[in-house]
Amino acid sequence: MRQSIKQICRHVSSKTIFSQPSNNLSRKDIEKLTTSELLCKLGFIAQPNAGLVHWLPLGKGVLDNVNNIVRKRHNENKCVEVELSSISHSSIWDKTNRWNNNELFKIGEYCLAATAEEEITTLVTPYLNSYKKMPFIGYQITRKYRNEKRSRGGLLRGREFYMKDAYSFDIGETEALKSFNSMNETYEKIFNDLRLPWVKANADSGDIGGDLSYEWHIVSEIGEDDIVKCNNCGSCGNVERSHSIKGEDGKFVEESDVKYFLSKENELICIYFPKGRKLSMKFVKEEDLVDFNEQLMNKDEIINKFVENNEQNDGLVTIFRLIDKQVGPGTKMPDLPDNVKFNKNHMITFQELDITESQEGDHCDSCKEGTLVNMKGVEVGHTFYLGTKYSKPLEGNFIDKDNKKKPYYMGCYGIGISRIIGVIADILRDNNGLRWPSIIAPIQVSIINKNTKKNDDDVKFEDTLVKELQNKNIRVENDDSDKISFGKKLNKSKIIGVPLQVIVGVNEGIVEIETRGCLFSEEFRKIKEIEGDKWGWEIISKSNVEKHIVKKEYASKVIEILLKDM
Amino acid sequence: MRQSIKQICRHVSSKTIFSQPSNNLSRKDIEKLTTSELLCKLGFIAQPNAGLVHWLPLGKGVLDNVNNIVRKRHNENKCVEVELSSISHSSIWDKTNRWNNNELFKIGEYCLAATAEEEITTLVTPYLNSYKKMPFIGYQITRKYRNEKRSRGGLLRGREFYMKDAYSFDIGETEALKSFNSMNETYEKIFNDLRLPWVKANADSGDIGGDLSYEWHIVSEIGEDDIVKCNNCGSCGNVERSHSIKGEDGKFVEESDVKYFLSKENELICIYFPKGRKLSMKFVKEEDLVDFNEQLMNKDEIINKFVENNEQNDGLVTIFRLIDKQVGPGTKMPDLPDNVKFNKNHMITFQELDITESQEGDHCDSCKEGTLVNMKGVEVGHTFYLGTKYSKPLEGNFIDKDNKKKPYYMGCYGIGISRIIGVIADILRDNNGLRWPSIIAPIQVSIINKNTKKNDDDVKFEDTLVKELQNKNIRVENDDSDKISFGKKLNKSKIIGVPLQVIVGVNEGIVEIETRGCLFSEEFRKIKEIEGDKWGWEIISKSNVEKHIVKKEYASKVIEILLKDM
């Protein structure tokens, strides 16, 4: 047709004004910079205000590439792409009781979309009116908004960010779980495509059909989340939300710790749990016992407030005691403070609760055999089975086979696109600068001539190579300015994370290809063995840089093979 | 590489839940619907609230295609694509005095971006620090926001909408005008690509270097703007903002009309202009004489207010008289009302002003020969030369050759992407439904088999044809459900505006290609003449539908030629 989409999608250049200062960064400079500073310095993004991001050409290149992987894998799973308005009316958020949320940016009766369960359910209901039309999974890759108080630098916790959100609609629980599973498979494919060390962490509350959900983490030292992984079966969980076997049945710890909370009715809640373990705040939150401002008070303050509030009805107010299952006969438990007057008839005790976080050394609750080890993770995705939680209040109904009106069974599935980019930049950078997996690198190959004044043969060769690579859909840039030195060009290509530098002009018949971080996969080694001699392909490894020397006429073949391997 | 971008960009289907009701629309139904209702009914968009739009798969297909044309033409002009945050801080809007604007959606100290002069100037300043780095043109295609009180249905006047906005930065006026001209050429190419009847309307105030600007209109009966076009040289202008020759020098009209305004200092302004012509409110606005709430009052109210305000200093307040150049000796002018006391010494008169709108029959101010005719237009773009209007208050400076700090000379350039889509849908629809120019049609070709049970040869042929067309980057859909009748498939393809329907299974050796609105260009006719016989290519025209009969083996060639011609 009249235009080539290929060309348009790939128009990313490192030669814009935004990427020029990168020439002057030394290794020491690089080390000192945080990843978000590095991304800014190298012209990937800019940060106009806390939690806000401008995407500059190189960053937009990464963004487009990540989006295309996400899009491809969703389309393969028959998900339908839409783009919902980012402005949403309070009326539908009122129905699901989510309007009173401090994290929503509000403009009068409207909010900026943070997620889209309400909008998409309202949108699809008139169309999705019969059982025949399901399953249906809709998704979008759009900007989302959150009035984030703790907004961090860069791409990790923004107030405006790119998110992929998908929503599945099914006629019943079995069908909905099938959609849920297909989406989890889609996520595995996406994170494998991105070549990331990921874990799928169990985040369910235990009862299927209730809150089945997984958190998807990239394993990284910079992670904020604590994850445990079984050394036997490999299953993972967030320490706050997963279950583990903490000791043996009927065997209790020596000493118990206690935490106090005030219920919304001003009752005292005393939670007893093994000393040295961490109470799972998630448990307390889910039970919705307490006003969470209380959390900020220390023990004495809570007790004083309780006593003060109940001066009138001394000893007649209920005291709840919640006791962890590792606390029992033989465990030393702290006494209630002296100023708390209580009546044993008004004391209610729950025992055998599992209310502490999982931790290293616990036994795995999945295989019952392995032991858990600690990891740090950054949450970049979440998959939820929702059941009828949203469809019921939103009246998202369809007519089933039996001619009866029934609510959809739903799931929702998020991926933090901006966040993934931030994490990838962070975990792969080295002292030469950024390093992008070739599949998302905005530029995959830099062609650089050793001589600032090129000879005609080289010019011809470079032009041919560019065309050959473009025909293979490889994102290539020929840095042919004659005002910048070879060293500066090479350095810039490496620092911005281009996977391959093809150096022309070293020797008449060959090119040198520099690269960091090939996998040397089996497939790779096989081809090298078969074709190596014919292609004149030699590899010289030096610290974490490899140099591939190859005959000019086979350059594009080797480039293609290398890119697949990194 | 591991994924094909081609495939991803083109994944648009008419088989989603959103496009199913279209089967049931009759011609009469279609006629009754407004274009925005039709777009909703056919699953292109949905409208959750006034001025807000959800983009559904077919609509998103059109959007992506329009964006790609805009992107391609901007890249050709060396513009650099970025994506700025949609949240912008008041501090920079305060500098340009644009924060106090009721049309900005505000969230505390932030607003939702309506335009980006402030953000992009602030963004580029640290990078664009030397004359060597200019010219620079940055652009983005992103959602914009306007708290629009008159938000109309559909895509024409939204509160959230897609806009392409570009900004040029140059070292001086001459260079900036070069950028301005290059952008105007870019716009011509874009509107030509879209095959739209466009006019570039002069909207300048006359003095170069001040407010040089063009409005880009699509000519359409549904337009809100009045445009005049010279029947000799073709130059166009918005009646409110353009200049024309209104009669002969020294020849005055018989009778004058008058309009009264109060200045901000409570002086009376009387404007005299030819009876029957329209006063250009733009003129009054630009001179900034009056508080514009006054406009809402009628003559008597204004006079009464003036008299009341000036009771204390009767006859000593200045009265301004502004007189159009067609009002002079011999023209009958209305007297001031009796209750206005005035003193001739406090009366100031300006004569020879050009303060009425252009209108049909005026002479062209460009060629001085032609006569103006009326047209209606929808404004879809605007190009502005800005000079240092924004760079000065924002301190957007660079170091020039002479080592001195100087402000950028800027231009800004907008295209209303959502709006263009709404206008195209509106002006091209006919009683068969929508009609998309092939270059932006989400689906360009529907392959439909006449028989619901296909024979093996047809299945094989269709598969081959799909592959051939996809290799040519043609967006093709094979509607192969065996539950929907041929007639319904054909009807649906036409109603959603697919340019070509390829009908298979009519006769063994041939296919029929149905189409509406070929141009029958010279190029087209030439190929038909040369190859027609060999390809077995016959054309049968019937009302506004053409049927092309062609041998199967030449189907993909004819399809390619037809798509280029529509």
Side-chain angles (χ1 to χ4, degrees), chain A residues 50-210:
Chain A
L52 302 178
V53 168
H54 293 327
W55 293 89
L56 305 182
L58 289 175
K60 190 167 154 45
V62 179
L63 180 65
D64 288 345
N65 294 335
V66 172
N67 286 346
N68 277 338
I69 292 169
V70 171
R71 193 168 275 136
K72 175 170 171 254
R73 292 300 186 186
H74 278 73
N75 293 350
E76 281 171 7
N77 194 31
K78 292 188 180 137
C79 303
V80 172
E81 189 174 3
V82 297
E83 264 194 46
L84 306 185
S85 170
S86 25
I87 298 183
S88 186
H89 194 265
S90 62
S91 55
I92 53 178
W93 297 76
D94 278 338
K95 286 186 189 168
T96 57
N97 241 325
R98 299 214 292 178
W99 180 250
N100 289 321
N101 182 334
N102 287 334
E103 290 202 338
L104 285 181
F105 272 119
K106 289 182 188 154
I107 310 169
E109 291 175 354
Y110 292 87
C111 69
L112 293 182
T115 171
E117 285 82 1
E118 285 80 359
E119 278 294 350
I120 200 160
T121 307
T122 309
L123 167 66
V124 301
T125 299
Y127 301 101
L128 214 52
N129 48 9
S130 154
Y131 70 95
K132 289 179 197 160
K133 297 183 179 171
M134 277 172 273
F136 175 78
I137 309 180
Y139 79 100
Q140 58 174 351
I141 306 176
T142 51
R143 295 181 181 190
K144 303 293 185 307
Y145 300 86
R146 192 179 294 156
N147 195 355
E148 177 65 69
K149 309 294 182 216
R150 296 182 297 157
S151 79
R152 283 169 61 176
L155 300 169
L156 290 191
R157 193 185 293 281
R159 294 192 286 176
E160 177 183 50
F161 50 94
Y162 269 95
M163 184 170 104
K164 185 285 307 176
D165 47 328
Y167 306 87
S168 64
F169 297 84
D170 280 283
I171 59 170
E173 192 176 296
T174 316
E175 293 79 3
L177 288 174
K178 217 170 135 187
S179 291
F180 178 76
N181 290 335
S182 80
M183 286 304 292
N184 282 310
E185 280 166 27
T186 298
Y187 273 41
E188 289 194 14
K189 286 176 192 160
I190 291 168
F191 295 120
N192 284 337
D193 283 346
L194 292 171
R195 305 256 163 119
L196 288 171
W198 57 269
V199 296
K200 172 180 151 191
N202 216 318
D204 71 293
S205 68
D207 61 325
I208 298 252

Side-chain angles (χ1 to χ4, degrees), chain A residues 1-11 16-21 40-41 43 45-46 48-50 52-57 60 63-65 67-69 71-72 75-76 79-89 91 105-107 110 112 119-120 123-124 127-128 133 136 140 142-143 145 159-160 162 192-193 195 438-439 444 472-475 560 563-566, chain B residues 1-11 16-21 40-41 43 45-46 48-50 52-57 60 63-65 67-69 71-72 75-76 79-89 91 105-107 110 112 119-120 123-124 127-128 133 136 140 142-143 145 159-160 162 192-193 195 438-439 444 472-475 560 563-566:
Chain A
M1 292 311 304
R2 260 166 276 154
Q3 58 169 337
S4 154
I5 296 292
K6 216 192 301 175
Q7 179 200 337
I8 291 163
C9 292
R10 291 170 184 281
H11 191 94
T16 70
I17 53 164
F18 302 111
S19 304
Q20 288 175 6
C40 288
K41 225 29 177 212
I45 57 169
N49 294 93
L52 302 178
V53 168
H54 293 327
W55 293 89
L56 305 182
K60 190 167 154 45
L63 180 65
D64 288 345
N65 294 335
N67 286 346
N68 277 338
I69 292 169
R71 193 168 275 136
K72 175 170 171 254
N75 293 350
E76 281 171 7
C79 303
V80 172
E81 189 174 3
V82 297
E83 264 194 46
L84 306 185
S85 170
S86 25
I87 298 183
S88 186
H89 194 265
S91 55
F105 272 119
K106 289 182 188 154
I107 310 169
Y110 292 87
L112 293 182
E119 278 294 350
I120 200 160
L123 167 66
V124 301
Y127 301 101
L128 214 52
K133 297 183 179 171
F136 175 78
Q140 58 174 351
T142 51
R143 295 181 181 190
Y145 300 86
R159 294 192 286 176
E160 177 183 50
Y162 269 95
N192 284 337
D193 283 346
R195 305 256 163 119
S438 75
I439 198 169
Q444 296 174 306
K472 292 177 198 243
N473 275 338
I474 291 172
R475 301 181 284 274
E560 197 179 3
L563 287 176
K564 273 190 189 148
D565 198 57
M566 58 194 309
Chain B
M1 290 311 305
R2 260 166 275 155
Q3 59 170 336
S4 154
I5 296 293
K6 217 193 301 176
Q7 179 198 338
I8 292 163
C9 291
R10 291 168 184 282
H11 192 95
T16 71
I17 54 165
F18 302 110
S19 303
Q20 287 174 8
C40 288
K41 223 32 177 211
I45 57 168
N49 295 93
L52 302 180
V53 168
H54 293 326
W55 293 89
L56 305 181
K60 190 167 154 45
L63 179 64
D64 287 345
N65 295 335
N67 286 347
N68 277 339
I69 292 168
R71 195 167 274 138
K72 176 170 171 253
N75 294 350
E76 282 172 4
C79 303
V80 173
E81 189 174 3
V82 296
E83 265 194 44
L84 306 186
S85 170
S86 25
I87 299 182
S88 187
H89 195 266
S91 56
F105 273 119
K106 288 181 190 155
I107 311 169
Y110 292 87
L112 294 181
E119 279 293 351
I120 200 160
L123 168 66
V124 301
Y127 302 101
L128 214 53
K133 298 183 178 171
F136 174 78
Q140 58 173 350
T142 51
R143 295 181 180 189
Y145 300 87
R159 293 190 288 173
E160 178 183 49
Y162 268 95
N192 284 338
D193 283 346
R195 303 258 162 117
S438 75
I439 197 169
Q444 295 174 306
K472 292 177 199 244
N473 276 338
I474 290 172
R475 301 181 284 273
E560 198 180 2
L563 286 176
K564 273 190 191 148
D565 198 57
M566 58 193 308

Side-chain angles (χ1 to χ4, degrees), chain A residues 207-263:
Chain A
D207 61 325
I208 298 252
D211 283 333
L212 186 59
S213 83
Y214 294 110
E215 287 172 359
W216 297 77
H217 290 265
I218 297 178
V219 179
S220 159
E221 273 315 302
I222 61 148
E224 287 182 313
D225 287 299
D226 290 300
I227 302 166
V228 282
K229 181 174 179 173
C230 171
N231 65 4
N232 180 46
C233 70
S235 76
C236 291
N238 186 311
V239 292
E240 284 182 34
R241 261 159 289 190
S242 68
H243 289 262
S244 64
I245 302 169
K246 296 150 184 164
E248 283 170 39
D249 274 358
K251 207 171 174 188
F252 305 106
V253 295
E254 259 180 48
E255 196 175 347
S256 165
D257 203 346
V258 68
K259 271 207 176 165
Y260 301 118
F261 296 96
L262 284 181
S263 82

Side-chain angles (χ1 to χ4, degrees), chain B residues 268-465:
Chain B
L268 186 66
I269 299 162
C270 319
I271 306 189
Y272 299 91
F273 58 98
K275 201 176 177 92
R277 287 198 80 107
K278 227 172 145 188
L279 181 63
S280 167
M281 294 313 291
K282 181 76 189 163
F283 170 80
V284 183
K285 246 183 201 163
E286 269 168 5
E287 299 298 316
D288 206 19
L289 292 171
V290 291
D291 174 355
F292 254 67
N293 290 326
E294 312 286 343
Q295 264 199 81
L296 303 171
M297 300 195 286
N298 65 31
K299 276 185 193 176
D300 289 347
E301 284 171 333
I302 289 175
I303 293 297
N304 291 341
K305 196 170 170 198
F306 172 74
V307 170
E308 197 178 298
N309 285 343
N310 292 300
E311 264 175 324
Q312 305 300 324
N313 40 10
D314 229 15
L316 293 173
V317 174
T318 310
I319 295 178
F320 289 93
R321 303 199 315 158
L322 276 57
I323 302 178
D324 186 84
K325 60 183 177 184
Q326 286 192 279
V327 173
T331 303
K332 191 177 146 201
M333 287 170 71
D335 290 328
L336 275 177
D338 290 343
N339 52 346
V340 177
K341 300 283 184 305
F342 66 92
N343 180 323
K344 281 214 164 166
N345 293 331
H346 289 98
M347 191 173 262
I348 299 176
T349 302
F350 297 91
Q351 277 172 307
E352 297 274 324
L353 302 172
D354 186 7
I355 50 180
T356 60
E357 293 187 352
S358 305
Q359 69 182 36
E360 188 153 86
D362 287 354
H363 288 290
C364 176
D365 195 36
S366 294
C367 69
K368 319 283 181 198
E369 287 185 13
T371 305
L372 302 183
V373 291
N374 280 345
M375 303 169 92
K376 286 275 183 189
V378 185
E379 192 184 339
V380 291
H382 212 134
T383 49
F384 275 105
Y385 169 72
L386 295 170
T388 58
K389 186 173 168 188
Y390 290 93
S391 52
K392 275 194 178 157
L394 292 163
E395 295 173 80
N397 300 316
F398 67 99
I399 304 294
D400 204 356
K401 274 176 207 162
D402 56 9
N403 231 5
K404 280 190 185 144
K405 206 192 252 183
K406 289 181 190 165
Y408 307 128
Y409 281 75
M410 292 174 55
C412 71
Y413 316 92
I415 291 182
I417 303 280
S418 325
R419 185 168 246 235
I420 279 191
I421 295 172
V423 179
I424 292 177
D426 203 88
I427 62 177
L428 293 182
R429 63 181 280 198
D430 63 15
N431 56 13
N432 280 311
L434 294 172
R435 251 171 8 116
W436 297 106
S438 75
I439 197 169
I440 62 164
I443 302 164
Q444 295 174 306
V445 177
S446 298
I447 298 178
I448 308 169
N449 201 299
K450 196 121 191 176
N451 315 298
T452 29
K453 260 243 147 328
K454 299 180 196 179
N455 69 44
D456 289 349
D457 279 355
D458 280 355
V459 172
K460 221 190 258 171
F461 169 71
E462 287 175 16
D463 288 350
T464 313
L465 185 58

